[in-house]
Amino acid sequence: MKSARAKTPRKPIVKKGSQTNLKDPVGVYCRVRPLGFPDQECCIEVINNTTVQLHTPEGYRLNRNGDYKETQYSFKQVFGTHTTQKELFDVVANPLVDDLIHGKNGLLFTYGVTGSGKTHTMTGSPGEGGLLPRCLDMIFNSIGSFQAKRYVFKSNDRNSMDIQCEVDALLERQKREAMPNPKTPSSKRQVDPEFADMITVQEFCKAEEVDEDSVYGVFVSYIEIYNNYIYDLLEEVPFDPIKPKWNSCSTPMRNTDFVPPQSKLLREDKNHNMYVAGCTEVEVKSTEEAFEVFWRGQKKRRIANTHLNRESSRSHSVFNIKLVQAPLDADGDNVLQEKEQITISQLSLVDLAGSERTNRTRAEGNRLREAGNINQSLMTLRTCMDVLRENQMYGTNKMVPYRDSKLTHLFKNYFDGEGKVRMIVCVNPKAEDYEENLQVMRFAEVTQEVEVARPVDKAICGLTPGRRYRNQPRGPIGNEPLVTDVVLQSFPPLPSCEILDINDEQTLPRLIEALEKRHHLRQMMIDEFNKQSNAFKALLQEFDNAVLSKENHMQGKLNEKEKMISGQKLEIERLEKKNKTLEYKIEILEKTTTIYEEDKRNLQQELETQNQKLQRQFSDKRRLEARLQGMVTETTMKWEKECFLFQPDQNAPPIRLRHRRSRSAGDRWVDHKPASNMQTETVMQPHVPHAITVSVANEKALAKCEKYMLTHQELASDGEIETKLIKGDIYKTRGGGQSVQFTDIETLKQESPNGSRKRRSSTVAPAQPDGAESEWTDVETRCSVAVEMKAGSQLGPGYQHHAQPKRKKP
């Protein structure tokens, strides 16, 4: 992962070109390139003028087990394979140029995979100029007659413009013209035939409502971003001046044998706009001059031959058109010498390098490194769009990683509201570019959801309009007669006033008659004028009265509205106070609720602790009851036995010794006695009727019985032999066999009567009242006791089974 970059500093003031309340989405357009061969497989279909559909090619369907998926993507407008450059320009670039002339910025860039027609769309080909020459042609058609003389505007290193008077500009022109090799192109040169056909635009295009009381200057610059470094393509460095040629695809073959210039740095001006420090800006006066400058830089741009494109752009190129505008002075003769009145707008035309996969381009070495940097910068652009969309849709404030790439860092101002942003997605419909086109469509889908603040209109300088034509006697057309001429032409012509004879008595009477007619006509015109003046005065008076009446009516309405507003303000204040009171009560209730919840949690914890304590006490009580029950049973049997012994019966038959029987004697058993067991001489021996005795457990015996008993012997800690009878139930398994589940264990233990050893018992026998030891402690009685408990029982020795003790002889 990349290390975190420093966050872009927050702007302290609202910039002049931004407007926070109105936003427009980024305009994304799609242009589909024609296929190279008619029978070539196509993966993109134009549905209508706003929608395209992607088809999965046959090869991808086979690789993905026949998964066939069609996806549709919508754009602001889709241009098919038969779209001309003019149609594309009229829809996409014409509004941006119009905004440029009216003082607003714009950004237009082409995006797509390598070989999709981005450079052709931007630059064009012979006989069919692209967007760039058409933008230049529209600019100069609109401001051609209003351009300032060369060097009246002069660029500086702070991304702004200085203004010079006519004398200083003239001196600098003479100085530049005296140089042996002037850097500035001249409009008097002949157009280079290499690009003459590209800038010849048949259609005349001009912006509407151009400010005629201003003068304009056009400056162009050309840079490229190569391996995330910025280079000035107009910088004067030695290179091999081999002229480009045209290949079979009508694309200029540019030269790459030149010494690479020094990389440039990005800086921020006083208005927090990003610019390339030390970049060459050339003032141009015509479309031919501007395109000549562009062509000079185009020869230096880095291109290379890859497997997908014979002339693949290896860098992002940015052609900037900067339009400088300054108003005329009050007389309309010279430029106003105030730097604050200068308006600078910029249109950036960006030709992005194509995204590519190295396994298809077969790039290696420098080409592989270039492809990695191209893909990384485009990935940063996608990430910025994703973060911008997320911040706008979900109200988050994540940092947009503009600084991760020179490309995004240079144009961050446009996405912050410094102008319109337009993108043309160029796609090649051939099936081999399906996956790349899919990624391009997804990026375009995200970009359309990003909104950019709408730029505001420029401020008016405040001088009187029409200053340029003020000193001319006629209007701008120059052929319209004045009003006085029309009035004089309405009078009858005067007769000849020449008197040739002293006896001439006709000339003067005719002249007097003509003058009287003129006087009469003049008097009629004066009367008509007075009459119309009075009528006009009456109309003005009526209009003034109507205006006054409307003003009074509006004033009354305004007073009513003000009263209503005052009442609403009072109501708002009351509601605000009530809202604050309720918020305070809610805060108190929240605090009280928090306290109660804390008490509830504490009480619940205490309750759980008490429940656990009660459970433990209940378990201890049950164990104690079980032990006491065992002791009661043992004591009861003891006293019953003693009472029976003290009542002898002479006629009673002798009691037959009985074998110890299992509790489940009714079932059939497998009596498993290993051959290693020793025969004990205990009085009580385990005896199970209907048992199959075996020394080794076998399947045949287990299949015939329901119970199983294993006789196990081991040496106890006191040196005596301890016999354990491990019992279990036999179950049939699904596989046809048998399994044994052990249920309980009976233990038979033989102890020595020597008094030095303590009698082991699970319970302590109660002492005799007279201190004498009863028959319960004799050897035969102790040997006849067998303890039985279930395997894994937690109840201890409370559950006991006592066999019938041996009866004494009388």
Side-chain angles (χ1 to χ4, degrees):
M1 294 181 63
K2 284 193 170 184
S3 59
R5 301 295 183 94
K7 187 175 181 180
T8 303
R10 187 179 296 275
K11 302 174 185 178
I13 57 175
V14 178
K15 297 164 63 175
K16 64 179 182 179
S18 63
Q19 189 169 335
T20 56
N21 54 351
L22 296 177
K23 291 186 177 182
D24 294 320
V26 176
V28 182
Y29 303 85
C30 179
R31 187 179 193 184
V32 183
R33 172 181 174 171
L35 289 172
F37 305 98
D39 56 346
Q40 197 172 6
E41 185 181 1
C42 180
C43 67
I44 295 179
E45 177 186 359
V46 178
I47 303 299
N48 51 43
N49 60 348
T50 60
T51 308
V52 296
Q53 182 169 286
L54 263 68
H55 302 280
T56 307
E58 293 292 340
Y60 290 92
R61 293 184 223 168
L62 295 176
N63 294 335
R64 299 184 179 182
N65 299 325
D67 184 15
Y68 181 71
K69 184 178 181 181
E70 294 181 351
T71 310
Q72 291 187 358
Y73 296 91
S74 298
F75 297 87
K76 193 169 184 179
Q77 188 164 341
V78 175
F79 300 94
T81 57
H82 301 291
T83 302
T84 63
Q85 299 279 45
K86 182 184 182 304
E87 294 173 353
L88 183 67
F89 169 79
D90 291 340
V91 176
V92 181
N94 190 304
L96 294 179
V97 177
D98 190 76
D99 287 346
L100 176 74
I101 295 174
H102 291 88
K104 300 177 184 179
N105 299 327
L107 170 64
L108 173 62
F109 59 97
T110 56
Y111 181 85
V113 301
T114 181
S116 59
K118 299 183 299 299
T119 303
H120 171 75
T121 299
M122 187 63 68
T123 307
S125 58
E128 192 177 8
L131 299 180
L132 190 147
R134 292 178 183 273
C135 289
L136 294 172
D137 189 66
M138 180 176 174
I139 291 171
F140 288 106
N141 287 340
S142 304
I143 66 168
S145 59
F146 308 130
Q147 290 191 73
K149 294 182 179 180
R150 204 183 297 269
Y151 304 120
V152 170
F153 298 111
K154 189 175 181 180
S155 63
N156 52 35
D157 295 334
R158 300 180 298 277
N159 198 30
S160 60
M161 287 286 171
D162 297 327
I163 189 169
Q164 299 185 127
C165 62
E166 292 286 347
V167 177
D168 294 338
L170 177 61
L171 292 176
E172 187 159 354
R173 285 197 301 272
Q174 294 175 352
K175 179 181 176 181
R176 296 295 181 94
E177 291 174 358
M179 296 175 62
N181 294 320
K183 297 181 181 180
T184 303
S186 175
S187 58
K188 298 180 181 179
R189 295 184 187 177
Q190 188 176 2
V191 179
D192 194 333
E194 290 180 353
F195 56 83
D197 293 339
M198 300 177 64
I199 61 176
T200 303
V201 180
Q202 302 295 334
E203 303 84 4
F204 183 82
C205 189
K206 181 181 178 181
E208 300 293 336
E209 299 180 359
V210 180
D211 186 5
E212 298 176 348
D213 294 322
S214 298
V215 293
Y216 300 86
V218 180
F219 293 80
V220 296
S221 61
Y222 197 17
I223 63 171
E224 72 170 352
I225 302 175
Y226 176 73
N227 287 339
N228 209 26
Y229 289 96
I230 300 176
Y231 298 98
D232 185 5
L233 294 178
L234 302 182
E235 188 176 16
E236 294 295 333
V237 292
F239 66 96
D240 188 9
I242 300 178
K243 297 182 179 180
K245 300 178 181 180
W246 296 95
N247 56 22
S248 59
C249 298
S250 298
T251 305
M253 298 174 57
R254 299 180 291 273
N255 176 51
T256 58
D257 299 331
F258 69 98
V259 179
Q262 184 68 29
S263 63
K264 303 297 180 180
L265 298 177
L266 282 178
R267 297 193 184 279
E268 193 175 49
D269 62 10
K270 63 180 181 179
N271 295 323
H272 304 283
N273 294 319
M274 304 306 301
Y275 71 98
V276 180
C279 180
T280 304
E281 290 185 338
V282 181
E283 185 178 9
V284 292
K285 294 297 180 182
S286 65
T287 304
E288 293 76 15
E289 288 185 37
F291 202 81
E292 182 183 353
V293 173
F294 165 76
W295 196 255
R296 189 171 71 233
Q298 188 77 345
K299 294 178 181 179
K300 300 179 183 180
R301 188 181 174 190
R302 283 146 169 110
I303 62 171
N305 185 7
T306 64
H307 183 69
L308 297 181
N309 192 357
R310 185 162 55 183
E311 290 199 13
S312 175
S313 302
R314 313 310 297 168
S315 63
H316 309 300
S317 68
V318 182
F319 187 75
N320 291 318
I321 305 173
K322 186 177 291 185
L323 183 66
V324 187
Q325 178 180 354
L328 294 172
D329 57 10
D331 296 331
D333 297 329
N334 300 312
V335 183
L336 188 64
Q337 298 292 316
E338 294 182 9
K339 189 176 179 180
E340 294 78 11
Q341 296 294 336
I342 297 177
T343 301
I344 302 175
S345 55
Q346 179 173 293
L347 175 61
S348 298
L349 304 176
V350 185
D351 182 12
L352 296 177
S355 59
E356 57 188 31
R357 289 187 298 168
T358 55
N359 59 349
R360 292 192 61 203
T361 58
R362 302 177 185 177
E364 57 185 12
N366 290 334
R367 302 287 85 81
L368 182 62
R369 179 167 172 261
E370 292 168 355
N373 285 289
I374 291 171
N375 294 335
Q376 181 61 38
S377 62
L378 295 178
M379 183 60 67
T380 304
L381 178 62
R382 296 179 186 179
T383 304
C384 292
M385 293 296 180
D386 288 333
V387 176
L388 282 171
R389 184 188 67 160
E390 184 177 352
N391 289 343
Q392 293 172 4
M393 292 182 65
Y394 303 107
T396 58
N397 193 22
K398 292 185 178 180
M399 185 189 71
V400 183
Y402 291 120
R403 295 177 179 267
D404 289 355
S405 172
K406 292 291 194 304
L407 177 66
T408 54
H409 195 193
L410 178 61
F411 297 116
K412 65 181 277 304
N413 305 103
Y414 289 95
F415 297 104
D416 289 340
E418 285 300 319
K420 289 183 180 180
V421 181
R422 297 291 182 267
M423 180 176 74
I424 301 177
V425 175
C426 299
V427 293
N428 193 336
K430 63 180 182 179
E432 291 81 0
D433 289 349
Y434 170 75
E435 290 191 359
E436 288 85 351
N437 288 332
L438 191 62
Q439 298 299 324
V440 169
M441 294 296 177
R442 291 173 180 171
F443 170 66
E445 193 175 28
V446 172
T447 306
Q448 290 183 100
E449 298 178 358
V450 176
E451 293 183 344
V452 179
R454 185 182 300 176
V456 298
D457 296 330
K458 66 176 182 178
I460 301 175
C461 65
L463 297 176
T464 306
R467 301 184 301 278
R468 184 182 291 271
Y469 304 105
R470 174 176 298 175
N471 297 329
Q472 299 182 7
R474 299 183 185 273
I477 301 177
N479 297 323
E480 296 180 359
L482 298 177
V483 178
T484 56
D485 296 338
V486 176
V487 174
L488 290 176
Q489 289 177 5
S490 64
F491 286 99
L494 292 175
S496 177
C497 299
E498 185 178 1
I499 301 176
L500 300 177
D501 188 2
I502 193 171
N503 298 320
D504 188 358
E505 296 180 357
Q506 297 179 356
T507 302
L508 290 178
R510 284 197 298 266
L511 180 60
I512 293 172
E513 183 182 2
L515 291 176
E516 287 178 352
K517 288 182 179 180
R518 285 200 170 196
H519 178 72
H520 180 69
L521 182 61
R522 179 175 177 272
Q523 192 65 35
M524 289 176 59
M525 294 178 66
I526 290 174
D527 294 340
E528 183 68 21
F529 176 76
N530 292 332
K531 182 179 179 181
Q532 292 183 2
S533 297
N534 293 331
F536 185 69
K537 287 180 181 178
L539 290 175
L540 286 179
Q541 186 67 30
E542 184 180 355
F543 180 74
D544 289 340
N545 294 333
V547 170
L548 183 60
S549 175
K550 289 185 178 180
E551 286 182 354
N552 295 332
H553 179 71
M554 294 301 295
Q555 187 66 33
K557 292 286 186 181
L558 185 61
N559 294 334
E560 292 178 2
K561 295 294 184 182
E562 287 180 352
K563 291 180 180 179
M564 185 184 300
I565 291 173
S566 301
Q568 291 178 352
K569 285 183 179 179
L570 294 175
E571 182 67 17
I572 289 173
E573 291 178 357
R574 187 185 66 81
L575 293 176
E576 286 180 351
K577 292 180 180 179
K578 184 177 180 181
N579 188 27
K580 290 182 180 179
T581 305
L582 293 175
E583 287 179 352
Y584 179 71
K585 291 182 179 180
I586 290 172
E587 185 178 357
I588 294 176
L589 290 175
E590 287 178 350
K591 292 181 180 179
T592 307
T593 304
T594 305
I595 296 173
Y596 285 163
E597 288 179 351
E598 184 67 25
D599 293 341
K600 179 182 176 182
R601 284 194 295 270
N602 295 334
L603 291 174
Q604 286 179 347
Q605 292 179 358
E606 185 177 356
L607 180 62
E608 290 177 358
T609 305
Q610 294 294 335
N611 287 335
Q612 293 176 1
K613 185 176 180 181
L614 288 175
Q615 290 290 340
R616 289 194 297 269
Q617 292 178 355
F618 184 69
S619 300
D620 295 341
K621 179 180 178 181
R622 285 190 299 176
R623 285 197 294 270
L624 182 59
E625 288 178 353
R627 291 181 181 178
L628 291 176
Q629 184 68 26
M631 293 175 63
V632 169
T633 304
E634 183 179 356
T635 305
T636 303
M637 293 181 65
K638 174 184 174 183
W639 285 104
E640 288 178 353
K641 181 181 69 174
E642 289 182 355
C643 291
F644 179 76
L645 291 177
F646 281 107
Q647 296 177 2
D649 187 2
Q650 299 297 331
N651 297 320
I655 298 175
R656 178 175 170 270
L657 293 177
R658 301 173 64 186
H659 290 279
R660 170 72 167 88
R661 295 187 66 189
S662 174
R663 289 182 178 180
S664 302
D667 299 324
R668 195 167 188 186
W669 290 75
V670 174
D671 189 3
H672 181 189
K673 294 183 178 180
S676 60
N677 286 358
M678 297 178 60
Q679 184 67 29
T680 60
E681 297 180 356
T682 58
V683 175
M684 297 191 67
Q685 291 289 338
H687 176 71
V688 181
H690 308 294
I692 300 176
T693 304
V694 295
S695 59
V696 178
N698 55 73
E699 184 178 356
K700 183 177 180 181
L702 293 174
K704 296 179 179 180
C705 300
E706 294 82 14
K707 300 289 185 177
Y708 172 85
M709 182 176 67
L710 171 64
T711 304
H712 173 69
Q713 292 182 344
E714 61 182 10
L715 191 64
S717 59
D718 55 0
E720 298 293 341
I721 295 176
E722 185 179 75
T723 302
K724 291 185 178 181
L725 304 179
I726 305 172
K727 299 187 294 181
D729 297 332
I730 300 174
Y731 297 95
K732 292 184 179 181
T733 61
R734 290 186 177 181
Q738 288 77 28
S739 64
V740 177
Q741 181 178 357
F742 294 102
T743 57
D744 58 357
I745 300 174
E746 293 184 5
T747 304
L748 301 177
K749 187 175 180 182
Q750 182 177 3
E751 294 184 357
S752 175
N754 191 350
S756 62
R757 293 181 179 176
K758 296 181 180 179
R759 180 172 62 86
R760 295 178 178 268
S761 176
S762 58
T763 58
V764 179
Q768 298 294 330
D770 54 355
E773 193 176 46
S774 66
E775 291 181 347
W776 180 258
T777 59
D778 62 2
V779 177
E780 293 182 359
T781 303
R782 283 188 287 108
C783 291
S784 64
V785 176
V787 179
E788 176 184 355
M789 72 173 68
K790 292 187 178 180
S793 175
Q794 299 294 329
L795 300 179
Y799 289 103
Q800 296 181 353
H801 174 73
H802 300 273
Q804 182 69 28
K806 184 178 179 181
R807 187 173 183 178
K808 286 187 177 183
K809 294 180 180 181

